[in-house]
Each structure stands twice: as C-alpha cells, then as structure tokens.
Amino acid sequence: MSDLVGDARHLSPSAQEALRLRAVAALVAGRDREDVAAVFGVSLKAVDKWWAKWQAGGREALVMRPRGKPVGVHQVLGEAEQAAVRQAVLNHRPSEVGLGGQLWTRRLIGELIGKLYRVKLTEPGVGKYLKRWGLSFQRPDKRAVEQDPEAVAQWHAQTWPKIRARARADGGEVLFADQVGIRSDQVTGRTWGEKGRTPIVRRSGNRFSVNAMSAISTKGRMHFMVFTESFTAEVMCRFLDRLVGHFDHKIHLVVEAHSAHRSKKARDWLAAHPDAVELHFLPA
C-alpha cells in the first residue's frame, strides 16, 4: 500500500483529503498509529497531526481548504476605492473623466486608477479587479443622445394607452412604421468559428442598396414597400396608399418625428383619408 501512495505531498488536494479521512477512520477503528502510518505510507508525525485535528474539530478540520490568499487580502485598492472606480466605469465615458476615448479599456481604467489614487497597475492587474467586480468586455449598445427619458416614460405611461384605446374605439389596428436602408452585402447576426480566429465572410465590391418602408402590427403582421430613391413625403404618401389597400378598418400608425411624416403633403393625404389612417408620433 505504501508503494502506491508514496509521498502524500505529491497527491492532488482532493486525494490528500481522502487520505487524511481514511487514516483517521482507521485510528477511530482501533488501529495503532504506527500501523496506520505504514499502511498509508505517511509519517508518524502526519498521523499524529491528523488525529489532533480530528479531536479538535472533527471531520471539518480534515477537509480540503481553498489554496492561496483569501479574496481581498493584500489588494492595492481598498473596498471604497474599488467601488468608486467601478461606478466611474459604469456611469461615465473616459472622455468625461479627463481621459481620451469613448470606450473603456484596461489601459484607460489603469490610467483612471493612477489619476485618482496614484497607483500604477499592469493591464493584467486591472483585469483581475474587473473580473472581481463582475465586469466583462462587451460590445456596447447605441443610444441617441437626443433621447428624452422623461418623455419616453410619459409616452409609455400615458400616450400609448390612449392610442390603444382610440384604436379599440374605432375598431381599428395599431401598427409601428419605420424606414431602413438595405445593402446587398449586409451581414447580420453571428456564426460559429474557430476560437481565436474571426470567421470571414467574402463580399463582392459590386454591391447595391435599396430602401424599405415597413409597418408591423402588435401581433407581428408586417407590410413593406421597397424603393430606390431617398425617403421623402412623396414616398410616404405612396406607402400610405399601398398600406390602406390591405385593410378594411382604420389604421393607427405610430412613427418617428421624421420630416417626411410631418410634411404638408403627408398632412394633406391624412386630411383626405381621416377614416383610413391616423398618425401618432414617438417621443425623441
């Protein structure tokens, strides 16, 4: 048995734990300490140490303990300093705190730490803090700076319920409309590829583009029109002409505040078709 075990220090932590528990179990069963040391291939000193731990703390005293320094020991930044840096990264862009750029990198976060606390950290060191803070490197979402959060909240709470109520009263239907440009070489979504090598999608230089105006209902029903010219009031009126041909009830169309939607031509068309379409505008 001792030839199989060898030096217990070369065993994995879990194997060392199992060895300690088996050795103590043999002692509890009445085996001599010399016999246990010989059977398990360890020193008498180790057997006595395990037995002392067992008597002092039971099984819990013999189980495996996490190695290394406890979290938070000998960290350069204190808890309050870490919380301040984390909040700055989440709430501000680098340019807003006197640094260059719009997106955070480990280098820039290291510069922020140096600026605030006169502490110089390597990029791997900064990365350890970021991991500890629950942050990951992600592709940011885009949001218009013109957005008015209060107006958006008011639209959701007050305007949207009124639009639905008007549509029900008219026996009509609510649709959301928008325009978009489409290119022949456009690639969206993600694909599988080898780790560390970005997949390549080959595209032709002979590309072309078209525009589209579409409207989708709250139930997912969609209507669209493709056109090659720029989106103008004339295109908007042409789309409305086509759209009403698919319905025998009134449409409540929710759109953004595009100039073509608010143009005189569009207003004249709506005035001539009051029972067909009513426009509702989204907030900025």
Side-chain angles (χ1 to χ4, degrees):
M1 182 86 176
S2 59
D3 291 338
L4 295 176
V5 174
D7 190 344
R9 292 174 296 180
H10 297 304
L11 299 176
S12 66
S14 59
Q16 290 184 35
E17 176 187 309
L19 181 63
R20 290 193 295 270
L21 293 173
R22 290 170 60 196
V24 170
L27 292 172
V28 171
R31 301 285 291 270
D32 292 334
R33 49 194 285 275
E34 292 84 357
D35 190 19
V36 170
V39 169
F40 290 99
V42 296
S43 66
L44 280 174
K45 183 178 179 181
V47 173
D48 292 339
K49 180 180 177 181
W50 297 342
W51 181 246
K53 284 188 174 183
W54 166 266
Q55 290 181 316
R59 187 181 189 280
E60 289 300 314
L62 298 174
V63 298
M64 183 172 53
R65 292 282 184 264
R67 292 186 172 185
K69 298 175 183 176
V71 175
V73 173
H74 303 312
Q75 290 184 23
V76 176
L77 298 178
E79 293 298 326
E81 294 169 336
Q82 292 184 45
V85 175
R86 183 181 188 276
Q87 206 62 32
V89 171
L90 293 177
N91 293 349
H92 301 281
R93 292 172 293 169
S95 59
E96 294 174 340
V97 293
L99 301 173
Q102 301 297 312
L103 300 176
W104 286 107
T105 62
R106 292 185 301 176
R107 178 183 63 80
L108 286 174
I109 295 172
E111 289 183 14
L112 175 64
I113 292 171
K115 182 178 179 181
L116 292 176
Y117 306 114
R118 299 186 181 277
V119 172
K120 187 174 182 180
L121 296 176
T122 63
E123 289 192 17
V126 173
K128 290 179 180 179
Y129 276 111
L130 293 172
K131 183 178 180 181
R132 189 174 298 128
W133 299 340
L135 306 184
S136 61
F137 200 53
Q138 304 175 35
R139 181 179 298 171
D141 192 11
K142 301 179 182 67
R143 188 160 298 171
V145 296
E146 297 84 1
Q147 187 189 78
D148 184 344
E150 291 184 7
V152 172
Q154 184 178 9
W155 193 91
H156 277 287
Q158 300 178 20
T159 307
W160 172 233
K162 289 179 181 177
I163 294 173
R164 288 188 298 179
R166 287 175 68 95
R168 284 195 296 267
D170 293 339
E173 186 173 353
V174 179
L175 286 87
F176 292 82
D178 199 6
Q179 57 278 353
V180 66
I182 306 170
R183 286 182 21 156
S184 60
D185 61 349
Q186 182 174 344
V187 178
T188 58
R190 300 188 179 191
T191 187
W192 291 95
E194 185 180 348
K195 282 187 177 181
R197 298 182 63 182
T198 303
I200 297 174
V201 177
R202 302 193 180 279
R203 304 185 295 184
S204 170
N206 299 320
R207 55 182 178 268
F208 62 89
S209 62
V210 294
N211 299 316
M213 180 72 179
S214 60
I216 186 168
S217 73
T218 54
K219 296 181 179 179
R221 181 181 178 185
M222 188 173 77
H223 305 268
F224 67 93
M225 181 186 77
V226 177
F227 55 96
T228 56
E229 66 267 45
S230 299
F231 182 67
T232 62
E234 289 79 7
V235 174
M236 176 64 179
C237 293
R238 191 162 78 242
F239 176 73
L240 292 174
D241 278 326
R242 295 192 180 188
L243 186 63
V244 297
H246 295 278
F247 294 88
D248 57 3
H249 51 260
K250 187 172 182 177
I251 302 169
H252 287 262
L253 195 63
V254 180
V255 295
E256 63 178 355
H258 192 283
S259 57
H261 301 155
R262 294 181 175 273
S263 65
K264 184 178 184 304
K265 254 181 195 178
R267 293 199 305 270
D268 290 343
W269 189 99
L270 293 167
H273 304 81
D275 297 327
V277 179
E278 183 176 341
L279 282 192
H280 305 274
F281 295 98
L282 290 167

